[in-house]
Amino acid sequence: MPATAAVLASSSHFEVYRTKQQWKAKLSDFEYQVMREEKTERAGSSPLLNEKREGTYLCKGCDLPLYPSNTKYESGTGWPSFYDSLPNAIGTKEDNGFFMERTEVHCRRCGSHLGHIFDDGPQPTGLRHCLNGISLVFQPA
């Protein structure tokens, strides 16, 4: 596991803190790998990719509302993509894995890994929050 993932997964500075054993009891093996060890789900594998209803996307780790459906768009990448999050919903950190500089995005309340933010998205932000659907729960309006 990368050192940054180990720090994130074990850090107690988030409002919602769970031990490794508690996270493993709450999540499936793959959910744990993505949300706590920063793995990535396979492109095109998330049912949320094609979700078109109005509603809110919540963190699977702590149910914090993260993204409104009106900021979701089809990026063509194979992952659910948003151009903006809800206020005070996410945190970011530098991610230098895979021989590139990226911005990792996580739930600001429990630290669960969501995906990455890129600067090739649509206006008004110009950002693409490229997310693992497995880290999210959709709540219809």
Side-chain angles (χ1 to χ4, degrees):
M1 172 179 6
T4 55
V7 170
L8 180 63
S10 65
S11 179
S12 62
H13 71 276
F14 294 103
E15 292 172 43
V16 173
Y17 172 77
R18 292 185 178 92
T19 65
K20 182 177 182 178
Q21 294 76 21
Q22 289 169 325
W23 279 115
K24 285 191 168 222
K26 178 177 177 53
L27 305 171
S28 72
D29 287 344
F30 190 58
E31 288 169 344
Y32 183 86
Q33 289 173 13
V34 171
M35 295 169 62
R36 307 312 301 170
E37 297 179 340
E38 301 179 1
K39 303 293 182 197
T40 302
E41 70 186 357
R42 189 174 30 91
S45 66
S46 174
L48 295 181
L49 183 62
N50 298 313
E51 179 59 66
K52 306 289 189 220
R53 295 175 291 171
E54 288 186 33
T56 305
Y57 293 83
L58 314 176
C59 173
K60 188 175 279 183
C62 70
D63 297 323
L64 180 69
L66 300 172
Y67 291 89
S69 61
N70 65 346
T71 67
K72 186 173 188 266
Y73 73 99
E74 177 52 56
S75 67
T77 62
W79 287 278
S81 297
F82 302 80
Y83 63 79
D84 205 1
S85 64
L86 290 167
N88 198 31
I90 62 167
T92 62
K93 68 177 179 139
E94 186 176 304
D95 177 359
N96 294 317
F98 295 104
F99 308 103
M100 65 177 86
E101 290 183 20
R102 302 183 293 180
T103 300
E104 186 263 345
V105 60
H106 59 268
C107 172
R108 69 107 182 127
R109 186 161 69 182
C110 73
S112 290
H113 174 72
L114 303 173
H116 292 88
I117 299 175
F118 302 94
D119 62 2
D120 60 358
Q123 293 305 314
T125 65
L127 299 175
R128 172 173 50 97
H129 296 232
C130 189
L131 307 182
N132 292 291
I134 199 167
S135 300
L136 305 171
V137 174
F138 179 71
Q139 183 178 58

